[in-house]
Every structure is written in structure tokens, then in C-alpha cells.
Amino acid sequence: MSEQMLRAEKLDAGDDLAACRSRFVLDDVVYLDGNSLGALPAAVPARVDDAVRRQWGELRIRSWTESGWWTAPERIGDRIAPLVGAAAGQIVVGDSTSVNVFKAVVGAVRLAGQERDEILVDATTFPTDGYIAESAARMTGRTLRPVQPAEVPDALGDRTAAVLLNHVDYRTGRLHDLPSLTAAVRAAGAVSVWDLCHSAGALPVGLDEHGVDLAVGCTYKYLNGGPGAPAYLYVRREHQDRFDSPLPGWNSHAEPFGMRGDYEPTSGAARGRVGTPDILSMLALEAALDVWDGVSVDAVRAKSLALTDFFLECVAEYVPAGRVECVTPVAHAERGSQIALRCADAGAVMGRLIERGVVGDFRHPDVLRFGFTPLYVSFAEVERAARVLAEVVAAG
Amino acid sequence: MSEQMLRAEKLDAGDDLAACRSRFVLDDVVYLDGNSLGALPAAVPARVDDAVRRQWGELRIRSWTESGWWTAPERIGDRIAPLVGAAAGQIVVGDSTSVNVFKAVVGAVRLAGQERDEILVDATTFPTDGYIAESAARMTGRTLRPVQPAEVPDALGDRTAAVLLNHVDYRTGRLHDLPSLTAAVRAAGAVSVWDLCHSAGALPVGLDEHGVDLAVGCTYKYLNGGPGAPAYLYVRREHQDRFDSPLPGWNSHAEPFGMRGDYEPTSGAARGRVGTPDILSMLALEAALDVWDGVSVDAVRAKSLALTDFFLECVAEYVPAGRVECVTPVAHAERGSQIALRCADAGAVMGRLIERGVVGDFRHPDVLRFGFTPLYVSFAEVERAARVLAEVVAAG
């Protein structure tokens, strides 16, 4: 056994979250792609089966009330809330991340007022945020300006209506400074919108504490909600009464079953709802959130950093010099829960890694991306991933 | 056995669709609420379980290609296409009906061109369509004008950009004249948007044949896709290259995995996609569509009319005069697949009907709504429903 293998053994023995692994369905693959699709929580299959056979099949329409379908978007939002530092009543689940970005950016522009005519967007963002922000700008008569997150404080001004930022960059794994950027946006009188896709469930977010105005996130990465599971929208309590959705579907009406011709928005998080919620996917997500019972996000963050530190050490020791270059910041304060390695033949390398049972993903054009889900990734797996990577690039 | 019971027996014996009932999970409840939530198709539970345990749990991220997740929105759209008279390649599944109404109305306005500044909307519409159309009007700088469907031809003019209509009225069950209204809209140079929620799966629609421009519909009523199952969007082939979505998410990009900063829309139906599709609900819907194998929509329509005719006859015979008034048109050409009865104490009556095993729904303030799903409702059940209704109102 190598020195790093022994270290992994010790780290696993001292890992307070190690027991959480049994809450998931896993095999002998080293799954470092939980930042793309989280593994299946063990509680999900039986709960989905119950939703299908009993709730839909037997109770049918009665389940809207008797099985709590109607209130699922807010109820599940309240389950996500503590994971992102939000008090209850501010998060609603439903629709895709892209649709929620649209609600949030248009909502932010409307909160900011008519005289502010510019939207700033993270120039390094996951593309959909930029595309949707462009549409929001076009439809609200604002101008969209892409800026590097670090340049946001200088770009802010009296014209700034809204600022759309990613908490963790999907490609590099860089963690942006949410507290200070949010404070700067607020100080400029603008409205902040954070995309939490790559941070929620992997590290503390502190939405309430840091004064975030609006936020969106997906639930199929570190929240393990399943493929295409519904996303969520956070609207800070102080803004809820003025939140003016561009998608005022009947589910957000004060009297949804009144079938009124005039639209009167409901209060609270439910104002972010649109149409009939996608119940099967919602209930899968609800079951998936059981894995968080008794888990502290701080402990998750500590293990995440330990996992990525250890991976970087193993890579440095095993992989021939010059074959890969770490794109993810080394400083803890700037690192999410993934490691992105630049590698000339990244596509081919990832293909061979997957054949060898180490699953990460390839991001065009030259990035190997490895996500570390603290609830189910072990240090032994991290060592093995680095070792197999070294063998693959040495052979390539 | 009463005369109507004998007639029901005969009608059931001659029903070519009777065998389809075994494709569903049913019990001894008379379920006349399939126009709110379709019953569970028998093939769904095992298929969903496979999607959860094997596709998600074992293959995980590989399922996006190996299990066909990525192409599901278009593939399932092509399964719906023949049910609404559309050739392949024009329907995409995903998002809620409300979100699709937004895409369709904004898309229609943009197709119509800058000089047309008015949107007409069915004044009797299911409210969400009106709310969303109002938002679309506000965000595109158009005026929204509610009109009765019958008055649409007179309301059309050079100013008309788009017209949003319901094929079947959710409340009264009235079937609007899609061919002639569509032709009138087209003749005026405007763009038609049809909401098929209450017609698709119950009667022929003929989207291609009648020159419909855009259409949306849900899949959880007569298509039995499950609670909150994803909706769909039809964009007529001739418009696809000019369809300009207000929700240009990364799934609609020509190169979705190119992660490009600039947005270039893909071609075909996929241009209507937005974010990551909700896979579990999509695959439940896909399994649900198996019930249509070998079924002709014309046969479905014939049985639907026979069921509603028979229900009206039984109600006329059984229910004390003056206790209920039929709101649904008697003429076949104006009737969808439901019967709406006005009844002073409709809420209480529906409660007692449900207790007695006859499930319809109550629509505020005074409507008893009964939906007839030809694939699983029998004539014997129709007779029983009318009989129990008579007993309930006589006792009330």
C-alpha cells in the first residue's frame, strides 16, 4: 500500500460523514460527476413508486390535497432553505433553472425601478444564464453588459438594475465572494441574483445572512434530486410583496381555484410559482432531501475541501509533470467542490477514465472536471481517481 | 335492470375501445375526472421504476446518451404528434402549459411583426392563459384584448398580431371551431395560438391540416401523463426558422455542449426547449403514451360523443326536472369530451357524488364537471354516474 493509500484509509476512518454514503445507491465506480447529476438516494425508488401507484394510481385527483401535491413547491422549498442559509417561506421549487433565471432577472429589474437600465452578468457564466439574461434585457428594455465577477464592483453604478452572478463557476470551480459582491450590489442600489447550481449542497451559502436579493439553483447536482429535477427560486422576504413575475401563471394567484379573470398575485414564496408543478419529479426530490437529515453544511464544506486538497496532492504526486494544469483556485476561499484540470487531450482522457471506472466529465475544449460530493465520495476513491488519471495520461 | 342499464350493456358490448380499459389501473370508482388528471396507465409504474433504479441509479450521467434522455423532448413530441394531427418534428415536450403559453404568445407576436400591436385572447379562457398573455403583451409592448371566441372574426384586423384560443372551454366543455377560426386568423395576417389542454387525446385536432401556427397543451388530462406532467409546444414547420423564443435556454442552442457565449438557436422543434428536461416525468409520459397503440382518434371521438350523449339522456331521464342545467352545447360540433351541469349547490353535490364513488369535479361557483375519457370509461359507468347524481340531488 502506498503512502497516499494509507493516508486515505486514515482520512476515511476519521470522516464523520462517511456513514452518509449508505444513504445512496452506489457501486464500485468512482463517481466524481455529482456536480452534473447527483447519485440516487436510496430512499427515492420506493417513494416514487408510492407516488405513482398509490397517490396517482389509487387516489388520483384526491392527491392534490390528500397527498400534499398542491403545497409541494413551498414545502420542498422549505427543505432546501436551511441548506442555503434561508429562513422558511422564501424558496419555491418548480420549473427549470433557466426559467427561474428569467423570473429572477426580470423580477430584479422591476424591483430596481424604471431609471436603472443596465443588467450586469457574469461573463464567465454557464451559458444559459447569459442567454436568458439577454432575453430578459431585451424584453425589459435594458442593456446587458457581461463583466468578470471580480470587476463587478467597478462596473456598478446608478444605471445598474440587476447583477446576475454564479456562486461557483461551472467550468473552473472558482468560488466567488458572495458576501462582498452582494454587499457591493446592494450599496449601489442594484438587485443581486445568484445562481447556486454549483454551490448549494456543497458549501454554506448564507442567503439571508449576506443580504442576497434573489437566487436560483438546480436540484440535480449536489442536492441529488434526479435528472432534470425541478429548480428553485429564492425571493428575499423583504422583496416578496413587490416581486413582479414575468410568468404569472395560475399557481401564483391569490385564489388559484377562484378562476378569476383578473390576476392578483399571492403572497410569499408561492408568488414565484407558474403552472401545475411536476409532481413525480418533485416527490423524487423531496425523498432525496432526506439524505440531509442531521448533516451540517459546515461539515460538508470541511470534507469537500479535504477531498479536493487530497485530490490535488495525489495528482501532484502521481501525474507526470506538465500533463495537467489545475484551473481551480488553490485558495480555499476561492474553491468550490470541484477540481478542473486543463489537459490537452481532455476529451480522450475522460473517455479512458470512464472506461476504467472513474467518472468525471469533459468540458469543451480542454477541461477535465471532477466534482466531489462530500456525502458519498470517500478519500480512498479520491486516491484511486488520481492514480487512474496518472496511468491514463502516462499511457496516452 | 332498467332500460338504460340494458342499453349501457349493449353499448359496452359493441364498443371497439372497451379493451383499452385494461391498459389502465382502475377500480370500482366511476372516474369522470380524467379531464383534470388522467388515470394511471398500467405500463407506467415499471417504466418509472426502471428510469429511477437503472437509468439514474446505475447508469447515472451516462443515461443522457445511453438511455435517450437528451432526445426525450422531441421523441415524445413525435409520439403526441399523430394524436393532434401533426407530422413529426414540430412538437417538443417540456415545461408547464403556462410557460409554453408564454413562449407561444411571445413567439407569435414576433412572427407577426412590429407593426401589429394587438393580441386577442379568448375571454372565457382558463385563467392562466389570460394572465400569461397579459404578461406577454406587457413585455412585447402590445395591447391585450379579451374577446368571445365567436367574436374573433369581427375583432381581427391589421393591428392583430396573435390570437390565443382554447380548443375546448375548460368550464363549459364547448368545442370551438378550430378550422374556421384558424383560417380567419390567417386571412387577417395574424398568428394563431391554440390551447389544446381539453381536446388533445379526446378528439381530432388537425393542426397541420387546418393551418394552425402554434399550439400548446398539457399531457396530464386525456393524455394520462401523470400529475403535472410536462406540457408541449407545437411550432408549425414553416415558422420554425423564424420562431424567436423568449426563453432561449441552453437546451435550444444549436451547439448545447459548445458552451458558447453567443446564442445561436437550433433548428426544428427543439428550438422550443429551454432548460434541462424533467426526465422522470417525461419518461412517465412516454410510457403513458403506449395506451394509444393501435387506437384511432376518430374512434375515440365517436365513443366520446356516444358517452356524452348517453350521459345527457340518462340525466334527462333520472334527474328531477330543474335541478341541473346543461351548460355544454348539445350539438356534436360544439361539444368536447365533457359535460358541465349548472347546479345551485354544485360544491356540496360533488362532495356527495365523490363519497358515493362518482368522481367529477366542481368548478366555482356552480358547475359540476364530468370528463369522459373514451379509453377507459364504460357506458355502464355513465349510467351509474347519472343514477347516483339523481339520487344525490333528490336527497339534497
Side-chain angles (χ1 to χ4, degrees), chain A residues 27 31 36 38 56 60-61 69 110 128 131 135 138 220 224 226-228 244 246 248-250 253 260 276-279 281, chain B residues 27 31 36 38 56 60-61 69 110 128 131 135 138 220 226-228 244 246 248-250 253 260 276-279 281:
Chain A
D27 48 27
Y31 192 63
S36 186
W56 174 14
R60 290 185 286 257
I61 199 70
W69 289 355
R110 290 174 175 174
T128 208
Y131 308 155
S135 175
R138 170 184 176 190
Y220 46 75
N224 315 297
D244 182 5
W250 72 291
H253 199 285
R260 286 163 46 187
T276 302
D278 209 328
I279 293 302
S281 296
Chain B
D27 48 27
Y31 192 64
S36 187
W56 174 13
R60 289 184 288 259
I61 199 70
W69 288 355
R110 291 174 175 173
T128 209
Y131 308 155
S135 175
R138 171 184 177 190
Y220 45 76
D244 182 5
W250 72 292
H253 199 285
R260 285 162 46 186
T276 302
D278 210 327
I279 293 301
S281 296

Side-chain angles (χ1 to χ4, degrees), chain A residues 25-27 29 31 33 36-41 44-46 48-49 52-53 56-58 60-62 64 69 95-96 98-99 102 106 110 126-128 131-132 135-136 138-140 170 220 224-230 244-251 253 257-263 274-281 284 288 354 359 363-364, chain B residues 25-27 29 31 33 36-41 44-46 48-49 52-53 56-58 60-62 64 69 95-96 98-99 102 106 110 126-128 131-132 135-136 138-140 170 220 224-230 244-251 253 257-263 274-281 284 288 354 359 363-364:
Chain A
V25 175
L26 293 161
D27 48 27
V29 164
Y31 192 63
D33 211 2
S36 186
L37 175 67
L40 172 66
V44 168
V48 170
D49 198 57
V52 172
R53 289 182 195 269
W56 174 14
E58 294 175 23
R60 290 185 286 257
I61 199 70
R62 290 163 50 192
W64 280 108
W69 289 355
D95 305 308
S96 67
S98 296
V99 168
F102 187 73
V106 173
R110 290 174 175 174
F126 184 75
T128 208
Y131 308 155
I132 294 288
S135 175
R138 170 184 176 190
M139 298 192 76
T140 57
Y170 79 100
Y220 46 75
N224 315 297
D244 182 5
S245 173
L247 295 169
W250 72 291
N251 269 235
H253 199 285
F257 294 96
M259 302 291 156
R260 286 163 46 187
D262 63 312
Y263 178 72
V274 185
T276 302
D278 209 328
I279 293 302
L280 299 185
S281 296
I354 291 170
V359 177
R363 279 292 172 254
H364 189 80
Chain B
V25 175
L26 292 161
D27 48 27
V29 165
Y31 192 64
D33 211 2
S36 187
L37 175 67
L40 173 66
V44 168
V48 170
D49 198 58
V52 172
R53 290 181 194 270
W56 174 13
E58 294 175 24
R60 289 184 288 259
I61 199 70
R62 288 162 51 192
W64 281 108
W69 288 355
D95 304 308
S96 67
S98 297
V99 169
F102 187 73
V106 173
R110 291 174 175 173
F126 184 74
T128 209
Y131 308 155
I132 293 287
S135 175
R138 171 184 177 190
M139 298 192 78
T140 56
Y170 79 101
Y220 45 76
N224 315 296
D244 182 5
S245 173
L247 295 170
W250 72 292
N251 269 236
H253 199 285
F257 294 96
M259 302 292 155
R260 285 162 46 186
D262 62 312
Y263 178 71
V274 186
T276 302
D278 210 327
I279 293 301
L280 299 185
S281 296
I354 291 170
V359 177
R363 279 290 172 253
H364 189 79

